Amino acid sequence: MINSNKCLILRFIKFMAFTEKHIQILEKSEELFAEKGFNGTTVRDIAEYAGINLAMVSYYFGSKEKLLEALFRNRMAATQIRLQNIISNQSLSFIQKIDILIDEFIDRVIQKRCFYKVMLQEQVINKNKEVIKLLKDYKIGYAKLVSTLIVEGQKAKKIKKDIDIVMLLGTMTGTVTQILINRDYYREFNDYKKLSDAAFEQKLRTNLSAHIKHLFKATLGYEQ
Amino acid sequence: MINSNKCLILRFIKFMAFTEKHIQILEKSEELFAEKGFNGTTVRDIAEYAGINLAMVSYYFGSKEKLLEALFRNRMAATQIRLQNIISNQSLSFIQKIDILIDEFIDRVIQKRCFYKVMLQEQVINKNKEVIKLLKDYKIGYAKLVSTLIVEGQKAKKIKKDIDIVMLLGTMTGTVTQILINRDYYREFNDYKKLSDAAFEQKLRTNLSAHIKHLFKATLGYEQ
Amino acid sequence: MINSNKCLILRFIKFMAFTEKHIQILEKSEELFAEKGFNGTTVRDIAEYAGINLAMVSYYFGSKEKLLEALFRNRMAATQIRLQNIISNQSLSFIQKIDILIDEFIDRVIQKRCFYKVMLQEQVINKNKEVIKLLKDYKIGYAKLVSTLIVEGQKAKKIKKDIDIVMLLGTMTGTVTQILINRDYYREFNDYKKLSDAAFEQKLRTNLSAHIKHLFKATLGYEQ
Amino acid sequence: MINSNKCLILRFIKFMAFTEKHIQILEKSEELFAEKGFNGTTVRDIAEYAGINLAMVSYYFGSKEKLLEALFRNRMAATQIRLQNIISNQSLSFIQKIDILIDEFIDRVIQKRCFYKVMLQEQVINKNKEVIKLLKDYKIGYAKLVSTLIVEGQKAKKIKKDIDIVMLLGTMTGTVTQILINRDYYREFNDYKKLSDAAFEQKLRTNLSAHIKHLFKATLGYEQ
DNA sequence: AATGAATGAGCGTTCATTCAT
DNA sequence: CATGAATGAACGCTCATTCAT
């Protein structure tokens, strides 16, 4: 089981000896890309914000485009590890795994919100072939992984037949993305301004988790 | 009640005498913005693709930035009219209105998919103040409109209390957006390649409609 | 004598049927050229400021360049008439004529200060051949005219020999020009701010007149 | 007294590490600005004439506008040094200092004739605030400096009372400026064409010097 | 006779990238 | 190994002028 699951997730890790400066550039550029977009961010912006020399970006990563690719590879390798840890945990039921996958996703987007904004951009304006390839592999891997869990549930007659997995994952991803985008507006509309930033973030996490889990149960037909 | 609903939707229509060439530029630039992003699209690209002189963009719209604003104003004015027609229809129950709103949204995004890609961009990379303002007004108007319907249903004891409207609308918007983004991937994964483009689009519409309506019912607690 | 003097001044009048709109454009463009320079003034600026259609400038004058030429021809024709009136006055002595020429020049520059700013520009940045030609003819005519008066005075042994006329006229023109340029600074430095605009202008005229006449007397060696 | 004079001249020197290429661009652009005006000179003109890349102007100076400002700061810092050397020379009488100031000015304008054409432009078409500020400071400093010398002469009862300093300096500046502008015409009118360029320039210098010194003496009332 | 629409040319500036050191 | 200096290409925009009506 574990081995077969492993195969479902692609290996994004590609050897690259990252120094502290590499990481510094990646993190700072991620923030800028998220805020102003890839095209709206200049190499000068990155150099200035990361406190490095202008030529370093090309020197370290080859080009602005390849910096973006490195960013994706880096973040996606981390994601792979997180997913692997969940899947390989033999003490969890498939229902528990689905719930944990939902929470993991919410947590991931909230923690790495900059990256998910960049990811969203790349999916819409898609230009970079390497990134698109990474994204496609990730999506296929993720869908197959969830598919395995659902098939397992269907065999145990605990989950409805004919589940549209891509649609369901679209709901999860889309809902979280929309809340990520409309974070301030969500806070305002629901009168959460009185909460501290940390408290609001916790509230957001809880609300999202409950909402999406409820949608999954309604779609998959299981009860906990 | 219906009249008061009218007030909930903002008026985006602002007088601008659009000639055929204005429309031509708007539509072509919309396609390019959707494909390559606002920053990734040059005025020269637009001029070439729309078959007009380079200087016409500035001549007609003032600047590339104002062209984008005009695009948003134009599309949003059309949206307003569509919404108004639904709301002002006195022969519909609130449940019917919610269902129609869902279908209208799906239809709108599928028909104007380019615009919705541009809209997504602007929400993530947001730079243009005028556009952000239009978007905020639209979102508030839309949420209040749905809120009115839900309150109506709650009064009639047909809808659960404590509905998180922004979250629910996030699910609708997010799901449709994700399927818009992953359209090709959705087609591939579900083996819809054998369908004609038109048949697939119809399938997409039907699936999305059924899925989202089901999620709404599960969230709001009503039965038709 | 009168006839010979006439020959010293060139004829700038060239037939052009000027309508009110022509005059309007000339006067408004003169103001703008004076303020922002010829290159810094756009045809759109002129059209807007003169309240006419953008195409009128080309339509009426042929081009922006020819508008400038028309402006020079117009103003210089008027100058010619003013000078002719002084020269042809047989009741004046040559000393009186020199004094009157000085006052006429001061008066002309103060009244038509915009034009003299444009004139100064054209002499420095000189580009327009037609204008340069007009200016050269004017200068030669003016110098010859003054020369005639001085020769007359020298014959009457009232004026020193070896007068450097161009230098002397340079002093007159230069002094007035400098005060025109430094008008505000002159007012401030001499504490004339308390005077009304009209009173200051009168003061300026008086001071300039006395100063330049004094310099002429010191140079030419005559006493009134 | 001499030390207090030092304070009368503003300090234009602002640290800027000028390389040879900076100087090259400054000098070449000065020529072009003098000939065609600031607005009439394109960055491409400058790049070509100075033998540098088009982007270098922005790279070195920030913008075309800031290049102009640098030009003014540079030339005016040099002027300050020249003036300081005269003022601080304790072996000169105030009359000698005035004479030397006149010669220094003539020399400066003839040597840096391009700059003085640019300066004249900026005073007439004035647009650049920084340049106007520098010019105003220079004028005030110069006038105060001369004023100090004159007051010294008045105390020694060698100079008339009630001297209009701005007017007198206007005569000096204006006369030199006019001859600068009408240089060729002056040469032609006075039949100096037979002289070599160098000989004519020397003649020009001598004539200007004698003429202006004479005007100063006539105005100030002193005798050497 | 007068003008709104349109345009080719060229503007100042910024870009990601390169390269000598 | 790291970087300051430099650059070709392209950017959004404005210009004076034209032309069909």
Side-chain angles (χ1 to χ4, degrees), chain D residues 208-221:
Chain D
L208 266 171
S209 180
H211 178 67
I212 293 169
K213 283 175 188 167
H214 184 243
L215 298 180
F216 265 61
K217 281 170 196 161
T219 305
L220 300 175

Side-chain angles (χ1 to χ4, degrees), chain A residues 186-201:
Chain A
Y186 181 76
R187 193 171 186 175
E188 196 179 333
F189 195 90
N190 287 312
D191 215 13
Y192 288 145
K193 277 192 206 166
K194 56 199 171 195
L195 297 179
S196 71
D197 284 3
F200 169 66
E201 191 161 304

Side-chain angles (χ1 to χ4, degrees), chain A residues 52-68:
Chain A
I52 51 139
N53 182 278
L54 171 64
M56 290 299 294
V57 169
S58 291
Y59 181 67
Y60 271 4
F61 296 94
S63 69
K64 190 186 164 191
E65 209 77 41
K66 280 178 186 152
L67 164 65
L68 184 75

Side-chain angles (χ1 to χ4, degrees), chain A:
Chain A
M1 178 78 90
I2 296 154
N3 286 332
S4 71
N5 274 341
K6 267 185 185 170
C7 301
L8 295 173
I9 310 177
L10 282 163
R11 305 216 183 99
F12 299 109
I13 302 170
K14 191 172 169 180
F15 180 75
M16 188 177 266
F18 278 165
T19 65
E20 267 188 46
K21 246 175 192 171
H22 281 92
I23 304 293
Q24 169 83 340
I25 296 171
L26 283 174
E27 286 180 349
K28 292 301 187 181
S29 66
E30 187 181 45
E31 281 186 55
L32 293 172
F33 289 158
E35 195 190 323
K36 313 199 282 180
F38 180 77
N39 286 319
T41 303
T42 71
V43 175
R44 269 183 170 76
D45 289 339
I46 298 168
E48 194 180 341
Y49 191 50
I52 51 139
N53 182 278
L54 171 64
M56 290 299 294
V57 169
S58 291
Y59 181 67
Y60 271 4
F61 296 94
S63 69
K64 190 186 164 191
E65 209 77 41
K66 280 178 186 152
L67 164 65
L68 184 75
E69 294 168 21
L71 173 62
F72 270 81
R73 258 195 300 276
N74 202 35
R75 286 276 180 249
M76 285 187 153
T79 297
Q80 188 190 20
I81 291 164
R82 290 178 66 147
L83 294 180
Q84 219 124 33
N85 287 338
I86 296 168
I87 300 309
S88 60
N89 187 337
Q90 300 189 24
S91 66
L92 299 170
S93 72
F94 70 90
I95 291 179
Q96 284 174 318
K97 280 185 180 170
I98 286 176
D99 275 5
I100 289 174
L101 277 177
I102 291 169
D103 284 330
E104 186 277 337
F105 181 72
I106 292 167
D107 191 61
R108 189 153 36 102
V109 174
I110 288 176
Q111 266 186 45
K112 307 289 182 204
R113 74 185 69 153
C114 283
F115 177 68
Y116 283 87
K117 285 187 177 180
V118 181
M119 199 165 138
L120 197 55
Q121 277 177 60
E122 282 303 302
Q123 286 178 275
V124 179
I125 313 183
N126 70 2
K127 204 183 135 188
N128 187 294
K129 287 185 181 176
E130 180 71 9
V131 167
I132 293 303
K133 198 180 158 309
L134 284 173
L135 280 169
K136 196 178 176 186
D137 287 349
Y138 163 73
K139 283 176 198 170
I140 290 172
Y142 201 88
K144 285 194 177 164
L145 187 155
V146 172
S147 179
T148 307
L149 292 177
I150 284 173
V151 167
E152 197 182 335
Q154 284 167 334
K155 280 181 185 163
K157 309 220 168 178
K158 294 197 172 177
I159 283 180
K160 283 187 200 164
K161 285 189 172 179
D162 299 325
I163 298 299
D164 190 334
I165 292 173
V166 176
M167 186 76 81
L168 185 61
L169 291 179
T171 292
M172 178 181 81
T173 312
T175 303
V176 178
T177 302
Q178 281 297 312
I179 296 300
L180 173 73
I181 289 171
N182 295 314
R183 191 186 163 97
D184 293 340
Y185 169 54
Y186 181 76
R187 193 171 186 175
E188 196 179 333
F189 195 90
N190 287 312
D191 215 13
Y192 288 145
K193 277 192 206 166
K194 56 199 171 195
L195 297 179
S196 71
D197 284 3
F200 169 66
E201 191 161 304
Q202 190 47 48
K203 192 79 189 163
L204 194 67
R205 222 179 280 262
T206 312
N207 290 357
L208 267 171
S209 180
H211 178 68
I212 293 171
K213 282 174 187 169
H214 184 244
L215 297 180
F216 266 61
K217 281 168 196 163
T219 305
L220 299 176
Y222 66 80
E223 293 298 323
Q224 239 166 343

Side-chain angles (χ1 to χ4, degrees), chain D:
Chain D
M1 181 75 91
I2 294 153
N3 285 333
S4 72
N5 276 340
K6 271 185 184 173
C7 303
L8 295 172
I9 310 178
L10 283 162
R11 304 218 184 99
F12 300 109
I13 302 170
K14 192 173 170 180
F15 179 74
M16 189 176 263
F18 280 162
T19 64
E20 269 188 45
K21 239 166 196 173
H22 279 93
I23 304 293
Q24 167 84 340
I25 296 171
L26 281 174
E27 287 180 348
K28 293 300 188 180
S29 66
E30 188 180 44
E31 282 186 54
L32 292 171
F33 290 158
E35 195 191 323
K36 312 201 281 180
F38 179 76
N39 285 320
T41 303
T42 72
V43 175
R44 280 163 180 84
D45 288 340
I46 297 168
E48 192 181 348
Y49 191 49
I52 51 145
N53 182 279
L54 168 65
M56 292 303 295
V57 169
S58 290
Y59 179 67
Y60 271 0
F61 296 95
S63 67
K64 188 186 165 192
E65 209 77 42
K66 279 178 188 155
L67 164 64
L68 183 74
E69 292 168 23
L71 173 61
F72 270 81
R73 256 195 299 276
N74 202 35
R75 287 277 179 246
M76 285 187 154
T79 297
Q80 187 192 19
I81 291 164
R82 291 179 66 148
L83 294 179
Q84 217 123 35
N85 287 340
I86 295 168
I87 299 308
S88 60
N89 188 337
Q90 301 190 22
S91 65
L92 299 170
S93 72
F94 71 90
I95 291 179
Q96 284 174 317
K97 279 184 181 171
I98 286 175
D99 276 4
I100 289 174
L101 277 177
I102 292 168
D103 284 330
E104 187 278 337
F105 180 72
I106 293 166
D107 190 61
R108 191 153 34 104
V109 174
I110 288 175
Q111 266 186 46
K112 308 290 181 201
R113 74 185 72 156
C114 284
F115 178 69
Y116 283 86
K117 286 187 177 180
V118 181
M119 198 164 140
L120 199 53
Q121 278 176 58
E122 282 304 302
Q123 286 178 278
V124 179
I125 313 183
N126 70 3
K127 203 185 134 190
N128 187 295
K129 287 184 180 177
E130 182 70 10
V131 167
I132 293 303
K133 200 181 155 307
L134 284 172
L135 280 169
K136 195 178 177 186
D137 287 349
Y138 162 74
K139 283 177 197 170
I140 290 172
Y142 202 88
K144 285 194 176 164
L145 188 154
V146 172
S147 177
T148 306
L149 292 177
I150 285 173
V151 166
E152 196 182 337
Q154 284 168 333
K155 279 181 186 162
K157 308 218 171 180
K158 294 197 171 176
I159 283 181
K160 284 186 198 166
K161 285 188 175 180
D162 299 325
I163 298 299
D164 189 335
I165 291 172
V166 177
M167 187 76 80
L168 184 60
L169 291 179
T171 292
M172 178 181 81
T173 312
T175 303
V176 179
T177 301
Q178 282 297 312
I179 296 300
L180 172 73
I181 289 171
N182 295 314
R183 192 186 162 99
D184 292 341
Y185 168 55
Y186 181 76
R187 192 170 186 176
E188 196 178 333
F189 194 92
N190 287 312
D191 215 12
Y192 288 144
K193 278 193 203 166
K194 59 199 170 195
L195 296 179
S196 71
D197 284 2
F200 168 66
E201 191 161 302
Q202 191 46 48
K203 192 78 190 163
L204 193 66
R205 221 179 284 260
T206 313
N207 291 356
L208 266 171
S209 180
H211 178 67
I212 293 169
K213 283 175 188 167
H214 184 243
L215 298 180
F216 265 61
K217 281 170 196 161
T219 305
L220 300 175
Y222 66 80
E223 292 298 322
Q224 240 167 342

Side-chain angles (χ1 to χ4, degrees), chain B residues 53-75:
Chain B
N53 183 278
L54 168 66
M56 290 304 294
V57 169
S58 290
Y59 179 67
Y60 271 1
F61 296 95
S63 68
K64 188 186 164 191
E65 208 78 42
K66 279 178 188 155
L67 164 65
L68 183 74
E69 293 168 23
L71 173 62
F72 270 82
R73 257 194 298 276
N74 202 34
R75 287 277 179 247

